[in-house]
mmCIF file of all heavy atoms in Angstrom:
data_model
loop_
_atom_site.group_PDB
_atom_site.id
_atom_site.type_symbol
_atom_site.label_atom_id
_atom_site.label_comp_id
_atom_site.label_asym_id
_atom_site.label_seq_id
_atom_site.Cartn_x
_atom_site.Cartn_y
_atom_site.Cartn_z
ATOM 1 N N GLY S 11 -52.668 21.377 51.055
ATOM 2 C CA GLY S 11 -52.890 22.324 52.151
ATOM 3 C C GLY S 11 -52.254 21.837 53.437
ATOM 4 O O GLY S 11 -51.571 22.587 54.144
ATOM 5 N N ALA S 12 -52.445 20.544 53.710
ATOM 6 C CA ALA S 12 -51.882 19.964 54.925
ATOM 7 C C ALA S 12 -50.361 20.052 54.892
ATOM 8 O O ALA S 12 -49.719 20.383 55.894
ATOM 9 C CB ALA S 12 -52.332 18.519 55.058
ATOM 10 N N GLY S 13 -49.797 19.783 53.706
ATOM 11 C CA GLY S 13 -48.339 19.849 53.542
ATOM 12 C C GLY S 13 -47.823 21.245 53.831
ATOM 13 O O GLY S 13 -46.845 21.436 54.569
ATOM 14 N N ILE S 14 -48.517 22.232 53.251
ATOM 15 C CA ILE S 14 -48.085 23.624 53.446
ATOM 16 C C ILE S 14 -48.163 23.993 54.928
ATOM 17 O O ILE S 14 -47.236 24.603 55.480
ATOM 18 C CB ILE S 14 -48.952 24.580 52.594
ATOM 19 C CG1 ILE S 14 -48.616 24.368 51.115
ATOM 20 C CG2 ILE S 14 -48.711 26.038 52.988
ATOM 21 C CD1 ILE S 14 -49.515 25.103 50.165
ATOM 22 N N LEU S 15 -49.253 23.575 55.563
ATOM 23 C CA LEU S 15 -49.414 23.854 56.992
ATOM 24 C C LEU S 15 -48.273 23.245 57.802
ATOM 25 O O LEU S 15 -47.712 23.884 58.700
ATOM 26 C CB LEU S 15 -50.751 23.300 57.485
ATOM 27 C CG LEU S 15 -51.931 24.273 57.376
ATOM 28 C CD1 LEU S 15 -53.204 23.612 57.874
ATOM 29 C CD2 LEU S 15 -51.640 25.538 58.184
ATOM 30 N N ALA S 16 -47.939 21.998 57.451
ATOM 31 C CA ALA S 16 -46.869 21.309 58.175
ATOM 32 C C ALA S 16 -45.551 22.065 58.037
ATOM 33 O O ALA S 16 -44.819 22.261 59.007
ATOM 34 C CB ALA S 16 -46.729 19.887 57.645
ATOM 35 N N ILE S 17 -45.272 22.513 56.793
ATOM 36 C CA ILE S 17 -44.017 23.241 56.563
ATOM 37 C C ILE S 17 -44.017 24.558 57.349
ATOM 38 O O ILE S 17 -43.022 24.935 57.977
ATOM 39 C CB ILE S 17 -43.816 23.508 55.057
ATOM 40 C CG1 ILE S 17 -43.547 22.183 54.333
ATOM 41 C CG2 ILE S 17 -42.653 24.471 54.819
ATOM 42 C CD1 ILE S 17 -43.563 22.281 52.836
ATOM 43 N N LEU S 18 -45.165 25.237 57.327
ATOM 44 C CA LEU S 18 -45.280 26.504 58.064
ATOM 45 C C LEU S 18 -45.054 26.275 59.559
ATOM 46 O O LEU S 18 -44.311 27.016 60.209
ATOM 47 C CB LEU S 18 -46.664 27.118 57.847
ATOM 48 C CG LEU S 18 -46.828 27.943 56.576
ATOM 49 C CD1 LEU S 18 -48.245 28.470 56.470
ATOM 50 C CD2 LEU S 18 -45.837 29.102 56.572
ATOM 51 N N ALA S 19 -45.700 25.213 60.074
ATOM 52 C CA ALA S 19 -45.572 24.920 61.498
ATOM 53 C C ALA S 19 -44.116 24.623 61.842
ATOM 54 O O ALA S 19 -43.573 25.087 62.843
ATOM 55 C CB ALA S 19 -46.461 23.740 61.864
ATOM 56 N N TRP S 20 -43.498 23.857 60.957
ATOM 57 C CA TRP S 20 -42.105 23.466 61.164
ATOM 58 C C TRP S 20 -41.181 24.679 61.177
ATOM 59 O O TRP S 20 -40.281 24.794 62.006
ATOM 60 C CB TRP S 20 -41.699 22.486 60.055
ATOM 61 C CG TRP S 20 -40.269 22.064 60.105
ATOM 62 C CD1 TRP S 20 -39.236 22.557 59.375
ATOM 63 C CD2 TRP S 20 -39.710 21.070 60.966
ATOM 64 N NE1 TRP S 20 -38.087 21.938 59.704
ATOM 65 C CE2 TRP S 20 -38.336 21.005 60.685
ATOM 66 C CE3 TRP S 20 -40.251 20.221 61.949
ATOM 67 C CZ2 TRP S 20 -37.487 20.132 61.347
ATOM 68 C CZ3 TRP S 20 -39.391 19.349 62.594
ATOM 69 C CH2 TRP S 20 -38.032 19.310 62.303
ATOM 70 N N SER S 21 -41.421 25.629 60.251
ATOM 71 C CA SER S 21 -40.482 26.741 60.169
ATOM 72 C C SER S 21 -40.875 27.905 61.088
ATOM 73 O O SER S 21 -39.998 28.583 61.620
ATOM 74 C CB SER S 21 -40.343 27.215 58.718
ATOM 75 O OG SER S 21 -41.610 27.377 58.144
ATOM 76 N N LEU S 22 -42.170 28.131 61.263
ATOM 77 C CA LEU S 22 -42.566 29.272 62.089
ATOM 78 C C LEU S 22 -42.767 28.894 63.556
ATOM 79 O O LEU S 22 -42.720 29.755 64.425
ATOM 80 C CB LEU S 22 -43.848 29.906 61.542
ATOM 81 C CG LEU S 22 -43.717 30.563 60.170
ATOM 82 C CD1 LEU S 22 -45.034 31.206 59.756
ATOM 83 C CD2 LEU S 22 -42.616 31.621 60.183
ATOM 84 N N GLY S 23 -42.975 27.586 63.820
ATOM 85 C CA GLY S 23 -43.225 27.119 65.179
ATOM 86 C C GLY S 23 -42.174 27.593 66.174
ATOM 87 O O GLY S 23 -42.506 28.231 67.184
ATOM 88 N N PRO S 24 -40.919 27.337 65.906
ATOM 89 C CA PRO S 24 -39.879 27.755 66.853
ATOM 90 C C PRO S 24 -39.888 29.264 67.092
ATOM 91 O O PRO S 24 -39.661 29.725 68.220
ATOM 92 C CB PRO S 24 -38.582 27.328 66.164
ATOM 93 C CG PRO S 24 -38.982 26.261 65.226
ATOM 94 C CD PRO S 24 -40.372 26.572 64.788
ATOM 95 N N ILE S 25 -40.160 30.026 66.031
ATOM 96 C CA ILE S 25 -40.176 31.485 66.190
ATOM 97 C C ILE S 25 -41.322 31.880 67.118
ATOM 98 O O ILE S 25 -41.156 32.687 68.038
ATOM 99 C CB ILE S 25 -40.318 32.182 64.819
ATOM 100 C CG1 ILE S 25 -39.086 31.866 63.964
ATOM 101 C CG2 ILE S 25 -40.491 33.696 64.988
ATOM 102 C CD1 ILE S 25 -39.149 32.378 62.553
ATOM 103 N N LEU S 26 -42.469 31.243 66.880
ATOM 104 C CA LEU S 26 -43.643 31.542 67.705
ATOM 105 C C LEU S 26 -43.369 31.197 69.166
ATOM 106 O O LEU S 26 -43.627 31.995 70.075
ATOM 107 C CB LEU S 26 -44.851 30.760 67.181
ATOM 108 C CG LEU S 26 -46.177 31.060 67.872
ATOM 109 C CD1 LEU S 26 -46.630 32.482 67.555
ATOM 110 C CD2 LEU S 26 -47.254 30.055 67.455
ATOM 111 N N ILE S 27 -42.802 30.001 69.388
ATOM 112 C CA ILE S 27 -42.490 29.576 70.758
ATOM 113 C C ILE S 27 -41.498 30.554 71.380
ATOM 114 O O ILE S 27 -41.628 30.959 72.540
ATOM 115 C CB ILE S 27 -41.927 28.138 70.762
ATOM 116 C CG1 ILE S 27 -43.041 27.172 70.336
ATOM 117 C CG2 ILE S 27 -41.388 27.760 72.148
ATOM 118 C CD1 ILE S 27 -42.570 25.750 70.116
ATOM 119 N N GLY S 28 -40.511 30.992 70.584
ATOM 120 C CA GLY S 28 -39.519 31.946 71.071
ATOM 121 C C GLY S 28 -40.179 33.238 71.518
ATOM 122 O O GLY S 28 -39.911 33.756 72.610
ATOM 123 N N MET S 262 -33.102 38.230 65.973
ATOM 124 C CA MET S 262 -33.749 37.851 64.711
ATOM 125 C C MET S 262 -34.212 39.062 63.914
ATOM 126 O O MET S 262 -34.451 38.974 62.718
ATOM 127 C CB MET S 262 -34.984 36.991 65.013
ATOM 128 C CG MET S 262 -34.750 35.517 64.876
ATOM 129 S SD MET S 262 -36.293 34.622 64.958
ATOM 130 C CE MET S 262 -36.975 35.058 66.521
#
Side-chain angles (χ1 to χ4, degrees):
Chain S
I14 290 172
L15 270 179
I17 291 170
L18 276 179
W20 177 261
S21 48
L22 294 182
I25 296 175
L26 185 68
I27 293 172
M262 261 190 302

